[in-house]
């Protein structure tokens, strides 16, 4: 298989200790029960990383942060460095999620700097891109995504250390999704942008996840698309049965 699917849960700013450990334990138990032919990743809030790490012991589920600073250490009150994430047992971090681009004014350049630092710390990155509803209505989706790839993905990216997540902003948490044909068109265009940036061989192997209202009911169709290599799941990753039901579609 050229690209093994990745099923990733983005818990965002949810769960206190008990809820988070119960959820992680329940997911771990389900993943151990069956032989899933996909990779798993869970990205809890920073406060839960150590606790969740313990719950995932003995499973193949990777642990990730939801952001990381571009500095290794220093005077950055409230921030978390990629080395700190690695130190806690993370092997991944999400970067450039639209909520961070909006809430924290992260630009493509900042996301790129963060990705370079994360790779240097030995982390794999899930770099998020995606258009707003207005940009889609203006027919700018592909151009926006290609520009985000060009600006946010560093030159040192490989298929091993980088995953792209295409998340149309208007589809996040709304229950709305693009049509399957639209998703495939954008993913194919993203892969072309990766060819331009990183070369054919890397682009062919790099995973491109779809995110934005992925649910058990639409996972089969989305995950069967040729250029969709997994899912970045928000709301449905907080429900063990939904998360697992989505993953079942990734094994086909
Ligand atoms: P959602 O979030 O699945 O709740 O739409 C996806 C994301 O923001 O990663």
């Amino acid at each position: 298989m050229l690209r093994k699917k990745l099923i990733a849960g983005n818990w965002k700013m949810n769960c206190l200790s008990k809820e988070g450990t119960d959820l992680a334990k329940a997911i771990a138990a389900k993943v151990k029960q069956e032989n899933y032919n996909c990779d798993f990743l869970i990205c809890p809030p920073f406060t839960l990383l150590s606790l969740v790490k313990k719950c995932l012991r003995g499973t193949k589920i990777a642990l990730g942060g939801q952001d990381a600073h571009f500095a290794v250490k220093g005077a950055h009150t409230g921030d978390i460095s990629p080395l700190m994430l690695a130190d806690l047992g993370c092997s991944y971090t999400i970067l450039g999620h639209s909520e961070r681009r909006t809430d924290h004014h992260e630009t493509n350049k900042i996301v790129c700097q963060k990705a370079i630092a994360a790779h240097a710390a030995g982390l794999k990155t899930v770099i998020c891109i995606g258009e707003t509803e207005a940009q889609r209505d203006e027919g700018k989706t592909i151009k926006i995504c290609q520009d985000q790839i060009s600006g946010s993905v560093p030159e040192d990216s490989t298929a091993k250390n980088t995953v792209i997540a295409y998340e149309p902003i208007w589809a996040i948490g709304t229950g709305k999704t693009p049509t399957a044909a639209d998703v495939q068109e954008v993913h194919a265009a993203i892969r072309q942008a990766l060819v331009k940036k990183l070369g054919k061989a890397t682009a062919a192997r790099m995973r491109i996840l779809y995110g934005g209202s992925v649910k058990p009911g639409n996972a089969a169709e989305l995950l069967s698309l040729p250029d969709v290599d997994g899912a970045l799941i928000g709301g449905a990753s907080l429900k063990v049965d939904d998360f697992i039901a989505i993953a079942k579609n990734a094994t086909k």
Side-chain angles (χ1 to χ4, degrees):
M1 205 191 305
L2 193 57
R3 302 182 298 264
K4 194 173 187 183
K5 288 201 169 49
L6 174 63
I7 298 299
N10 173 12
W11 291 8
K12 308 193 178 184
M13 197 172 70
N14 291 296
C15 299
L16 300 181
S17 313
K18 169 132 183 24
E19 204 185 345
T21 47
D22 286 353
L23 177 59
K25 277 183 201 158
I27 293 170
K30 292 260 186 192
V31 169
K32 270 188 197 166
Q33 261 168 26
E34 265 182 67
N35 198 13
Y36 293 87
N37 190 22
C38 62
D39 292 333
F40 283 98
L41 167 64
I42 290 181
C43 302
F46 293 129
T47 48
L48 292 180
L49 287 172
S50 287
L51 285 172
V52 170
K53 178 74 192 165
K54 286 192 193 115
C55 302
L56 301 184
R57 227 176 250 156
T59 74
K60 62 172 195 167
I61 308 170
L63 184 70
Q66 298 174 10
D67 175 49
H69 201 270
F70 49 75
V72 166
K73 63 176 186 172
H76 301 285
T77 303
D79 278 312
I80 307 285
S81 99
L83 268 188
M84 292 169 176
L85 291 181
D87 186 46
L88 285 180
C90 290
S91 48
Y92 278 87
T93 188
I94 297 172
L95 290 177
H97 189 282
S98 64
E99 287 149 16
R100 292 212 55 91
R101 290 181 188 256
T102 304
D103 297 354
H104 300 273
H105 313 291
E106 292 189 6
T107 59
N108 287 333
K109 191 165 171 220
I110 291 173
V111 175
C112 185
Q113 286 173 333
K114 288 183 167 197
I116 291 167
H119 294 158
L123 295 176
K124 296 173 189 156
T125 53
V126 179
I127 300 178
C128 303
I129 62 167
E131 82 286 1
T132 63
E133 190 150 36
Q135 288 164 337
R136 169 159 291 254
D137 291 345
E138 287 166 28
K140 291 186 182 152
T141 299
I142 287 181
K143 167 93 174 73
I144 292 288
C145 290
Q146 289 175 332
D147 287 351
Q148 286 175 328
I149 290 290
S150 160
S152 307
V153 177
E155 311 281 340
D156 74 349
S157 295
T158 66
K160 281 213 167 80
N161 69 15
T162 305
V163 175
I164 306 298
Y166 168 57
E167 300 202 306
I169 297 170
W170 53 273
I172 295 175
T174 59
K176 292 193 256 178
T177 51
T179 64
D182 284 346
V183 171
Q184 172 53 28
E185 187 192 7
V186 179
H187 278 233
I190 291 168
R191 204 172 300 286
Q192 277 316 306
L194 291 170
V195 169
K196 210 164 148 197
K197 175 108 200 182
L198 304 168
K200 242 184 176 172
T202 298
R205 288 189 159 71
M206 190 168 283
R207 293 185 283 198
I208 307 174
L209 314 184
Y210 170 79
S213 295
V214 177
K215 302 263 169 347
N218 59 23
E221 186 178 36
L222 290 165
L223 289 168
S224 70
L225 298 169
D227 283 292
V228 173
D229 310 311
L232 181 56
I233 307 151
S237 74
L238 298 170
K239 295 179 195 142
V240 58
D241 290 339
D242 285 3
F243 188 62
I244 294 298
I246 293 167
K248 286 197 170 150
N249 290 293
T251 60
K252 286 175 201 157

